[in-house]
């Protein structure tokens, strides 16, 4: 996995670059299929904008950005937004019924459908 940091209209100190690289690599703990991370820092006169682009396998891309006065708090804010997106995506793609065999899931679904039909016929 590679981390690419670019800065528009200014430069980034080595200590900040190391900090950003270290923190952004922790995204792998949430989702191991991350292939590339691009961080763009846009420094303006009054505001700084930090944008994080994360590329994952199977054409899934995540984007988060934050604006404000300082670069470090903006990066932390954008990183927390990115963590939330990745956690939500991982939760969505996980199969939560792994512990039940497929035939048991089918039987439970069939039993629920039959009980609903019986309840409807009794109410009529």
């Amino acid at each position: 996995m590679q981390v690419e940091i670019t800065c528009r209209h200014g430069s980034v100190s080595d200590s900040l670059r190391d900090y950003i690289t270290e923190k952004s690599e922790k995204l792998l703990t949430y989702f191991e299929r991350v292939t590339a991370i691009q961080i763009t820092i846009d420094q303006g006169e009054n505001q700084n904008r930090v944008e994080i682009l994360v590329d994952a396998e199977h054409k899934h891309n995540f984007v988060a950005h934050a604006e404000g006065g300082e670069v470090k708090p903006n990066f932390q804010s954008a990183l927390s937004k990115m963590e939330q997106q990745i956690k939500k995506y991982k939760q969505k793609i996980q199969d939560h019924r792994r512990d039940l065999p497929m035939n048991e899931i089918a039987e439970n679904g069939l039993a629920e459908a039959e009980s609903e039909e019986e309840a409807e016929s009794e109410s009529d």
Side-chain angles (χ1 to χ4, degrees), residues 109-122:
L110 184 61
E112 289 175 8
E114 288 176 356
S115 65
E116 287 176 6
E117 288 175 8
E118 290 175 4
E120 287 177 357
S121 64
E122 290 177 3

Side-chain angles (χ1 to χ4, degrees), residues 5-14 16-17 20 41-43 48 71:
I5 301 170
T6 57
C7 185
R8 297 182 191 145
H9 311 295
S11 61
V12 177
S13 66
D14 290 335
L16 183 60
R17 188 176 295 272
I20 289 173
I41 301 168
D42 191 2
Q43 294 179 337
N48 295 314
V71 174

Side-chain angles (χ1 to χ4, degrees), residues 17-109:
R17 188 176 295 272
D18 293 339
Y19 174 79
I20 289 173
T21 303
E22 179 185 331
K23 291 293 184 179
S24 59
E25 286 177 347
K26 290 186 178 182
L27 290 174
L28 286 172
T29 60
Y30 300 112
F31 194 60
E32 55 278 345
R33 294 182 183 175
V34 172
T35 56
I37 300 173
Q38 296 176 346
I39 300 160
T40 305
I41 301 168
D42 191 2
Q43 294 179 337
E45 290 182 23
N46 299 329
Q47 276 194 330
N48 295 314
R49 178 184 169 116
V50 176
E51 182 178 63
I52 303 175
L53 299 170
V54 174
D55 294 330
E57 288 180 0
H58 306 295
K59 299 183 181 179
H60 294 289
N61 299 323
F62 303 98
V63 179
H65 54 84
E67 292 184 18
E70 295 292 321
V71 174
K72 205 171 196 178
N74 292 339
F75 170 72
Q76 291 172 345
S77 174
L79 188 65
S80 66
K81 291 177 185 179
M82 183 61 66
E83 289 171 357
Q84 292 300 315
Q85 287 182 29
I86 290 174
K87 287 178 184 178
K88 185 176 179 180
Y89 175 74
K90 188 173 180 180
Q91 184 83 16
K92 182 179 172 183
I93 64 170
Q94 275 184 337
D95 182 15
H96 298 287
R97 295 185 180 185
R98 268 188 230 167
D99 55 340
L100 294 175
M102 287 304 287
N103 59 359
E104 203 172 309
I105 293 170
E107 289 174 4
N108 288 343

